[in-house]
Amino acid sequence: MAQPSVKTNSPKHAGREAREKLGWWRAYRFLLLRRLSQISIILMFLSGPMWNVWILKGNYSSSLLFDLIPLTDPLITAESLVTGYLPEWKTLLGAVIVIAVYALLASKAFCAWVCPLNIVTDSAAWLRRKLGIRQSAKLPRELRYGILVMILVGSAISGTLLWEWINPVAALGRIFVYGLGATLWLVLAVFLFDLLIVEHGWCGHLCPIGATYGVIGAKSIVRVAVIDRKRCDRCMDCFHICPEPQVLRLPLNGKPEDSQIVLSKDCISCGRCIDVCAENVFTFTSRFEKQGERII
C-alpha cells in the first residue's frame, strides 16, 4: 500500500479536514462527550444548593456521592498523611476508591473528563491556535512531577496542606458553587499563562494533580492506539490539538517493533487525536492489544 502524500496543516485549521470528510459529529464527538461529563459533574455539585437534590456533596477535593460513597482527591490525602495526620476512615476509603477507578480505567482520565480547569486550559489552547500564537517558553514536562514531590515535602515540613492554598482546580470548583470571589485570579492566571507564555503550560508542565493521576493511571487499561501507521499523511493535526503531543511520537513514528499503543503516563485519554484525524489513524483500545483494535 502506498504511503499517503505528506502535508502539514496550519494549527489554526486543525480538524478542518476531519469535519469535511467525516462530518461534524465525528470531528467533535469526544470533545463534546468530555464537556458533557465535566458539566454534568458540576451540576451534580450544584444540585444540592440549587434544588436540594444532593448528588455530589462537597468539592473536588473531597465529596460524598449520593450521601453514601466517599470520594477523595489522592493528592490531598497524601498531603494529610505526610503531615502526620491520619484522616478518618471515610476519607481514606474515598482515596482508595478514586485510586482504584483511575488505576483501572484510562490514563489521566480525571484530567480530560472530570477536571473543570480543563475547560479553561482547552479554551486557552483554542484561542492560541486561532490567534496564531506560536511563541512558547520552554519548560520540561517532568517539572510537574518535581512540583508534586516538593508539595509533599513542603507539607511534611510545614505540617499544612500546602497545595490547597493555591489549588486552581479547587478554586474553580468554589466559583461554580459560591460565585466569583477572591480565587478567580488563580483561574485567570492559569488561562493567561497557557495563552501567552507556555502552550499547554498548566496541564502539560506544572499541574501536580495531573502528575498524581499520571502515576496512578500509568498501567490503566483503556489507551489510545494507532490503527495503521501507513494511513498517516503527516498533516500534523493531532500534534497541533493534543495537549501532550510528545506521547504520539513513538506510536506514529517508532520502529516496526515499537508498540503502536500510547503507553505514556502523560496521555490524558481525551480522544481529540481521534476526533481531528481525517484518515482514521487513531482509536481507543486496550493496552493489551498489539495493534489498534477498536473499542470506540
Side-chain angles (χ1 to χ4, degrees):
M1 178 177 176
Q3 183 79 10
S5 59
V6 176
K7 58 181 179 179
T8 301
N9 293 337
S10 165
K12 183 176 181 179
H13 301 300
R16 183 169 65 181
E17 282 185 81
R19 291 193 300 272
E20 294 172 351
K21 185 174 180 178
L22 305 176
W24 191 86
W25 165 248
R26 285 289 302 275
Y28 289 104
R29 55 179 170 161
F30 289 113
L31 176 62
L32 294 174
L33 290 171
R34 284 168 49 222
R35 292 295 176 259
L36 178 62
S37 173
Q38 292 158 338
I39 293 170
S40 296
I41 291 167
I42 293 168
L43 291 175
M44 288 179 194
F45 280 117
L46 292 175
S47 65
M50 294 182 66
W51 307 298
N52 202 32
V53 179
W54 296 93
I55 301 175
L56 273 173
K57 184 183 294 183
N59 52 52
Y60 285 90
S61 296
S62 180
S63 59
L64 202 59
L65 179 62
F66 299 123
D67 236 352
L68 179 65
I69 303 171
L71 302 169
T72 312
D73 174 21
L75 178 53
I76 196 172
T77 305
E79 288 179 89
S80 298
L81 291 173
V82 298
T83 62
Y85 171 75
L86 183 63
E88 62 178 20
W89 70 270
K90 284 186 178 180
T91 300
L92 293 174
L93 176 60
V96 170
I97 291 172
V98 169
I99 290 170
V101 168
Y102 287 108
L104 289 172
L105 189 58
S107 177
K108 294 176 72 173
F110 173 86
C111 301
W113 295 83
V114 177
C115 180
L117 200 62
N118 174 257
I119 301 173
V120 175
T121 57
D122 272 3
S123 298
W126 175 85
L127 190 55
R128 275 185 69 95
R129 292 193 299 272
K130 294 306 176 184
L131 295 177
I133 301 174
R134 301 304 299 156
Q135 297 81 8
S136 178
K138 300 298 182 184
L139 289 177
R141 291 187 178 269
E142 294 77 16
L143 181 59
R144 52 191 151 183
Y145 298 100
I147 292 173
L148 173 60
V149 172
M150 286 190 292
I151 287 170
L152 295 177
V153 172
S155 295
I157 293 173
S158 66
T160 62
L161 303 180
L162 201 61
W163 172 239
E164 298 315 302
W165 290 91
I166 55 171
N167 183 352
V169 177
L172 185 55
R174 288 193 292 271
I175 288 172
F176 286 128
V177 176
Y178 302 111
L180 299 177
T183 55
L184 178 62
W185 73 269
L186 279 171
V187 179
L188 182 60
V190 169
F191 177 81
L192 292 176
F193 180 75
D194 274 30
L195 176 64
L196 302 175
I197 300 176
V198 181
E199 187 175 15
H200 304 299
W202 176 255
C203 295
H205 299 81
L206 299 181
C207 181
I209 298 175
T212 303
Y213 282 103
V215 173
I216 290 170
K219 302 298 181 181
S220 54
I221 295 173
V222 177
R223 294 283 169 166
V224 172
V226 172
I227 298 171
D228 185 353
R229 288 173 178 164
K230 295 185 180 69
R231 296 185 185 181
C232 179
D233 60 5
R234 303 299 187 265
C235 73
M236 297 299 291
D237 278 7
C238 57
F239 282 91
H240 293 324
I241 213 83
C242 180
E244 303 276 359
Q246 77 283 358
V247 307
L248 300 176
R249 293 191 186 113
L250 184 63
L252 279 176
N253 304 313
K255 298 175 182 177
E257 64 269 20
D258 289 330
S259 174
Q260 293 185 34
I261 298 176
V262 179
L263 297 176
S264 170
K265 64 182 182 298
D266 292 333
C267 175
I268 70 169
S269 304
C270 66
R272 284 297 282 148
C273 56
I274 304 173
D275 283 344
V276 302
C277 182
E279 305 303 325
N280 287 314
V281 171
F282 300 97
T283 188
F284 275 119
T285 188
S286 161
R287 68 177 294 115
F288 306 113
E289 297 295 338
K290 295 294 183 182
Q291 299 292 331
E293 295 186 4
R294 291 177 182 272
I295 291 180
I296 298 177

